Every structure is written in C-alpha cells, then in structure tokens.
Amino acid sequence: MSVFVFMYHRTPAEAQDRFDVSLSTFKAQVDALIEAGVKIVPFDAVNDHAAPRHGKYACITFDDGHASNAPAYEHLAERGVRPASFIVRRWAETGVGEHGAGYMQAEELQAIAPICDLGAHGVNHVCLAKIPLAEAAEELCSSRAYLEQVLDRTVDTMALPGGSQSPEVMASARAAGYRLIGTSVASPHTLGGDAVNRIVVPRAARDDFLIRTVREPGVLWAAREAERSFRRSRRETLRRIRASLSAFGGRSAVAAEA
Ligand SMILES: [Zn+2]
C-alpha cells in the first residue's frame, strides 16, 4: 500500500508566503480527493497492515502549529478526516515563531486535540542533521515531553524540521520514542517504514494538486526532475562564467552566489 502524505503550512484566508495555501484552495483540494473516492487515513495509520492493499490513500498533515489551520481542521472534521499537526515547542510556548505571532499555544492545542492528532516538530525548529547530535537528541526529547505534558497522553509521532535528516538523526529519533518520523521526501510513503515521505503543498498548487498527484504521480516526479535539471544547468552556467572571468584574471563576482 502506498499513501500520499501531504504537508501543509499556513492556511490563511489569503496566501502570502510561498508555503501558504488559502483556506478556500485547501478546502477545494481536499474535497476533490474525497469526491474522487480517495481514502484519507490518519498519520498514525499509514503503516496499518489491516488496510486493503489496493486503492488510493492519502493523509493530510500540517507543520509548525499555525493558528490559521483551525478552520482547516474543522473542515476536515466535518468530512470525517483526521489530520495530524506537528508542533514546535518554543513557538507553542510563546505563540511567536518564524512568521511572528499566530501559533497555537497550550490551550488551543488541547482544544483541537479531539479532531487533530498532534506530533512533535522540535523545540526551536532547527535542522537536526546540522547541529551536534547531543543537541538534536535534546530537541527530539524535549519537544515530545512538552506535548505529552500539554495533552496528558503519549506522543510517538514527529516531523523533521526543514526535512533535515541523517542516519544518526533517525536513530536518535527512534531512541527518543518516535514510532513514525515524517520527512520531506516528495514521494509516496510505502507500507512499513517508520520514515514517512511527505509531499509539500506549495502556494502555487492549484485546486486539483492533490488529486492529480494521487492519480498521476508522474506529474510530480516530472516537476521535481525539471527543477533538478534547472539547478544543474544554472550551476553549469555559473561554472562557465567563473572560468571565463578567471581566464581574464578577474575575481569571480558570482562566486558568493553559488
Ligand atoms: Zn516546519
């Protein structure tokens, strides 16, 4: 069984940031999936061996704990869909995060818990593979402890901040008690693994983004390959410019850009 696990960030009335999806677009994207008969499973059921092996499956997740997601959770609850939301400890404690104010705090987390599963997303939203392993372990344990204290229940799911991962970070997350670890690898999740691939939904995504991805994943991979080849050709262009500049004995003005 493959599950297409989608990752949202803010869902405000009007999208501004590149990862914002307006509430109306979000509703249209999810409703299109449901109308097409795609089964939307909870995050903690992505490895459910009891599930049928055939058919299309999806899962809806939210990162960072944005207060703007509350109407999105309610929309999903009305349709019998249970999403998961991954919470940054410091941003929940202060209500302030990388976008300023607008993050759910303890009382709001307790209020949405009946309709939304909650998982950890670090203490400070730092890339765990880029900091010392002892600090990463502290981020993993402390963010889980905070949520467990707020919710008064066990928390064993998380998502990697910035999708940053390494074999050491994954081992540390398992040691910290996480059963499922959401990544930012844009592929369907295949039954069985504890690293759960997730596909980010960007601002530019249209109303049919989810249903098209589930039906024609080739479209997604094609877009990713196009982006890769664009980066490759850009690197090659920069290399040629530098080579010709150095041939003239000049300093490369573009060196800092790479
Ligand atoms: Zn995040």
Side-chain angles (χ1 to χ4, degrees), residues 9 63-64 88 91 98 121 125 160-162:
H9 292 83
D63 278 15
D64 303 343
V88 180
W91 299 353
E98 65 178 349
H121 196 43
H125 202 267
L160 295 163

Side-chain angles (χ1 to χ4, degrees), residues 36-150:
V38 176
K39 186 162 168 50
I40 306 180
V41 299
F43 185 76
D44 64 6
V46 292
N47 283 343
D48 190 346
H49 288 264
R53 290 198 156 266
H54 300 290
K56 302 284 189 182
Y57 294 86
C59 172
I60 307 293
T61 70
F62 297 83
D63 278 15
D64 303 343
H66 295 289
S68 65
N69 297 147
Y73 303 146
E74 283 162 24
H75 183 78
L76 293 171
E78 285 164 11
R79 280 149 184 77
V81 173
R82 191 171 178 84
S85 185
F86 297 103
I87 305 301
V88 180
R89 173 172 181 163
R90 193 71 67 219
W91 299 353
E93 284 177 327
T94 60
V96 178
E98 65 178 349
H99 288 282
Y103 292 80
M104 292 184 289
Q105 295 192 258
E107 276 186 19
E108 290 155 300
L109 296 175
Q110 288 160 354
I112 59 131
I115 59 168
C116 179
D117 292 328
L118 294 164
H121 196 43
V123 176
N124 299 294
H125 202 267
V126 290
C127 290
L128 299 178
K130 294 181 181 170
I131 59 175
L133 197 55
E135 285 176 31
E138 174 60 20
E139 288 270 335
L140 290 160
C141 292
S142 174
S143 51
R144 180 175 183 225
Y146 168 75
L147 264 191
E148 291 192 332
Q149 180 254 316
V150 167

Side-chain angles (χ1 to χ4, degrees), residues 23 150 155 209 242:
L23 185 62
V150 167
V155 171
F209 179 83
R242 282 197 202 106

Side-chain angles (χ1 to χ4, degrees), residues 1 46-49 53 179-180 189-196:
M1 181 175 97
V46 292
N47 283 343
D48 190 346
H49 288 264
R53 290 198 156 266
R179 185 171 58 85
L180 293 171
H189 171 67
T190 306
L191 184 69
D194 63 358
V196 182

Side-chain angles (χ1 to χ4, degrees), residues 155-238:
V155 171
D156 61 3
T157 61
M158 67 159 295
L160 295 163
S164 171
Q165 64 168 298
S166 67
E168 292 78 14
V169 165
M170 297 302 280
S172 186
R174 288 177 192 119
Y178 293 108
R179 185 171 58 85
L180 293 171
I181 302 154
T183 72
S184 302
V185 177
S187 296
H189 171 67
T190 306
L191 184 69
D194 63 358
V196 182
N197 297 332
R198 298 188 307 152
I199 299 159
V200 67
V201 184
R203 175 183 176 179
R206 295 181 307 188
D207 290 0
D208 63 354
F209 179 83
L210 271 55
I211 187 64
R212 282 192 65 178
T213 302
V214 170
R215 279 186 178 152
E216 317 165 49
V219 172
L220 183 73
W221 325 139
R224 198 171 54 177
E225 188 46 42
E227 193 186 330
R228 277 206 197 109
S229 72
F230 168 75
R231 285 206 205 104
R232 271 199 300 271
S233 71
R234 184 172 172 274
R235 274 201 300 273
E236 178 60 17
T237 305
L238 286 169

